[in-house]
Amino acid sequence: WLQALPCQEDEEEGKKNHGVLLKMVQAEKREIVGEGGANLPQAFSVLIDVYKSDMAEEETSKGIGQLVVKVGESALEQLAQQLKEKQQKKLLRIHREAQQAS
């Protein structure tokens, strides 16, 4: 399921799935997060891609921002090393926007 995301074919289905993904990461569901967080880079990659896009509800984007702040900077730095450069920059923007909002 995680490998099939982000869902771009069906906008409504995508919004629903990306919201579910966020909730599962927030709840640290082993099925999604993986053993020792092994799937977190892939999950965050999807969440970063859909943040404030047509593929995510406003509430989902807000939750992504809260999750990024909650994870903490040291964990984000480790995570960022496994992301594409464009995603790393967007991750920094998400973190900055979320901190300003809180």
Side-chain angles (χ1 to χ4, degrees), residues 23-47:
K23 287 183 175 89
M24 293 179 101
V25 172
Q26 287 170 326
E28 298 180 21
K29 292 282 187 194
R30 187 185 204 123
E31 303 91 342
I32 296 298
V33 175
E35 190 69 39
N39 297 336
L40 276 178
Q42 186 173 3
F44 266 86
S45 175
V46 172
L47 294 173

Side-chain angles (χ1 to χ4, degrees), residues 6-79:
C7 180
Q8 299 173 335
E9 298 297 316
D10 182 338
E11 195 172 296
E12 286 308 308
E13 191 66 22
K15 287 179 181 181
K16 188 170 73 176
N17 283 326
H18 303 137
V20 169
L21 173 62
L22 173 64
K23 287 183 175 89
M24 293 179 101
V25 172
Q26 287 170 326
E28 298 180 21
K29 292 282 187 194
R30 187 185 204 123
E31 303 91 342
I32 296 298
V33 175
E35 190 69 39
N39 297 336
L40 276 178
Q42 186 173 3
F44 266 86
S45 175
V46 172
L47 294 173
I48 290 166
D49 285 346
V50 303
Y51 177 78
K52 288 193 176 178
S53 74
D54 292 341
M55 296 182 290
E57 300 282 348
E58 178 77 30
E59 197 61 33
T60 301
S61 289
K62 186 177 175 185
I64 292 168
Q66 292 168 344
L67 177 66
V68 165
V69 170
K70 181 184 167 199
V71 166
E73 288 189 38
S74 63
L76 286 178
E77 286 174 13
Q78 290 178 349
L79 197 64

